Amino acid sequence: MKISVIITLKKDVLDPQGKVIHQALDGMGFNDVNEVRQGKYFEIDTKETDPQKAKNKVEEMCKKLLANLVIENYKIIDAQ
Amino acid sequence: MKSAVITFPGSNCDRDMDVALKKFGFKNKMVWHQDVELPKSDLVVLPGGFSYGDYLRCGSMASKSKIMQSVINFANSGGMVMGICNGFQILVETGLVPGVLLRNKYLEFICKNVFVKISAKDSAYFKNIKNDVLELHIAHNEGNYFCTNDQLKEIEDNAQVAINYCNNEGKIEKSFNPNGSIKNIAGIFNKEKNVLGMMPHPERMIDSSLSGEDGSLFFKNLINNIK
């Protein structure tokens, strides 16, 4: 089954890349953007067929490797 | 004194570190990241470079490599472990030192000489260095030290800040901060001060043909203090 995870920077962590993207959007005429925050997206294809078990495993992966919990949050957004 | 330098795929300051350690009297061994055991050492060095191409987060993949469990055990039993640049990034990813290293504030790769003030002289790494300020070289894209407010309080309460970016007179001000690090932090210790992570490269300042020799002060002092 495929589990989708997004990793985002925590609120009080500076995101200079997001800022630059925001500025670029501004320059392109998208003037109504308040803020841009850049994150990461992972698709993990696992042999596990039980959705809850698969989610638990991916959560463990997030805590141990995919995210650094000092600066990042993770969210499992899909399992199918 | 025996030292060991770990080479990861993508390390590129490992041999410079080997040259520096040998120059100042260490018997150094190079250790491959897939090895399981460390040779008997008084000092283990995680060198600079771009381990695993900086994939995922700088240092994150290297922190999970085979040899690192031995390095973590060595550090936890009081052994001296020093991480320079990418080595510092690996150390924060193992959790041996607190915090993380973010992308530089202005998104530039910075490669230049900087001045750092030695802020804690009670560890074997800096004890007996007469100078308060060293001129060292930095070369990094992710050196912007960050930690939570709780971590910062703990770091400061335990005097774990090793060195701060400053000017040539030792003034620590925002304008001398190259990368946006919290409180101009360039290097920190673990609580016990046997583990040091720092962005500057002392191994690049050990010869008169290079752009300075303050790294020599660091290594001369280091070998004298590991006894």
Side-chain angles (χ1 to χ4, degrees):
Chain A
M1 94 179 307
K2 264 189 190 156
I3 310 288
S4 303
V5 191
I6 53 165
I7 308 242
T8 52
L9 277 177
K10 287 185 177 171
K11 253 196 167 161
D12 49 352
V13 178
L14 182 75
D15 178 13
Q17 293 178 92
K19 270 197 175 151
V20 172
I21 294 165
H22 183 186
Q23 282 167 14
L25 288 172
D26 241 3
M28 292 161 72
F30 296 103
N31 299 319
D32 48 358
V33 178
N34 288 324
E35 193 186 15
V36 178
R37 305 280 287 170
Q38 185 179 315
K40 292 173 190 157
Y41 170 76
F42 297 89
E43 259 178 18
I44 297 167
D45 194 345
T46 156
K47 291 188 184 81
E48 181 59 62
T49 50
D50 180 273
Q52 196 51 50
K53 277 186 190 160
K55 277 187 193 173
N56 290 348
K57 257 274 136 60
V58 169
E59 196 168 333
E60 200 185 331
M61 292 176 200
C62 287
K63 284 180 185 162
K64 286 190 175 164
L65 179 67
L66 301 182
N68 183 326
L69 299 181
V70 179
I71 47 164
E72 294 170 326
N73 292 320
Y74 62 86
K75 196 175 179 185
I76 295 170
I77 53 166
D78 196 23
Q80 55 182 328
Chain B
M1 291 296 114
K2 288 179 180 150
S3 60
V5 174
I6 317 286
T7 302
F8 300 95
S11 295
N12 65 9
C13 302
D14 47 338
R15 281 183 284 178
D16 293 32
M17 185 55 79
D18 179 57
V19 169
L21 289 166
K22 284 177 179 161
K23 179 171 181 181
F24 296 99
F26 283 94
K27 280 192 179 133
N28 187 53
K29 274 196 176 148
M30 305 302 284
V31 178
W32 185 234
H33 69 110
Q34 282 179 322
D35 290 354
V36 179
E37 274 182 48
L38 282 173
K40 206 174 171 326
S41 315
D42 303 293
L43 171 74
V44 172
V45 183
L46 308 179
F50 300 85
S51 58
Y52 293 89
D54 283 347
Y55 291 177
L56 190 63
R57 293 178 308 277
C58 301
S60 65
M61 313 302 285
S63 74
K64 310 293 179 206
S65 59
K66 270 189 188 165
I67 192 68
M68 282 311 293
Q69 197 48 56
S70 297
V71 175
I72 291 167
N73 294 342
F74 179 72
N76 286 338
S77 62
M80 288 183 68
V81 177
M82 175 168 89
I84 305 296
C85 198
N86 188 226
F88 185 12
Q89 294 163 343
I90 297 168
L91 281 179
V92 297
E93 284 286 343
T94 61
L96 282 172
V97 293
V100 293
L101 291 147
L102 299 174
R103 189 95 187 256
N104 294 341
K105 193 174 175 187
Y106 301 109
L107 300 172
E108 287 172 320
F109 186 95
I110 307 166
C111 181
K112 64 175 186 179
N113 285 3
V114 293
F115 293 99
V116 293
K117 182 166 188 195
I118 303 170
S119 300
K121 282 200 173 177
D122 56 343
S123 76
Y125 294 98
F126 296 105
K127 199 167 60 185
N128 304 332
I129 292 186
K130 281 187 188 134
N131 307 32
D132 290 327
V133 177
L134 297 177
E135 184 182 10
L136 296 175
H137 190 78
I138 55 168
H140 60 246
N141 201 35
E142 284 86 4
N144 179 356
Y145 184 77
F146 178 86
C147 60
T148 62
N149 288 336
D150 291 345
Q151 282 178 319
L152 185 63
K153 190 179 178 304
E154 210 181 316
I155 289 166
E156 290 189 323
D157 287 351
N158 297 326
Q160 281 171 251
V161 177
I163 48 174
N164 299 79
Y165 299 109
C166 64
N167 70 352
N168 59 347
E169 292 169 340
K171 252 192 194 160
I172 301 168
E173 282 176 14
K174 254 191 183 163
S175 53
F176 311 123
N177 185 338
N179 54 25
S181 292
I182 287 185
K183 304 239 169 162
N184 286 29
I185 290 173
I188 54 165
F189 298 112
N190 65 339
K191 239 185 204 169
E192 293 75 20
K193 300 197 180 179
N194 58 312
V195 181
L196 166 69
M198 64 175 176
M199 290 315 294
H201 290 266
E203 79 278 12
R204 293 190 184 180
M205 308 288 269
I206 56 151
D207 194 278
S208 56
S209 59
L210 299 171
S211 62
E213 290 192 88
D214 279 4
S216 306
L217 300 174
F218 176 79
F219 286 105
K220 269 184 206 160
N221 182 63
L222 187 60
I223 192 157
N224 286 331
N225 285 340
I226 305 181
K227 270 172 189 170

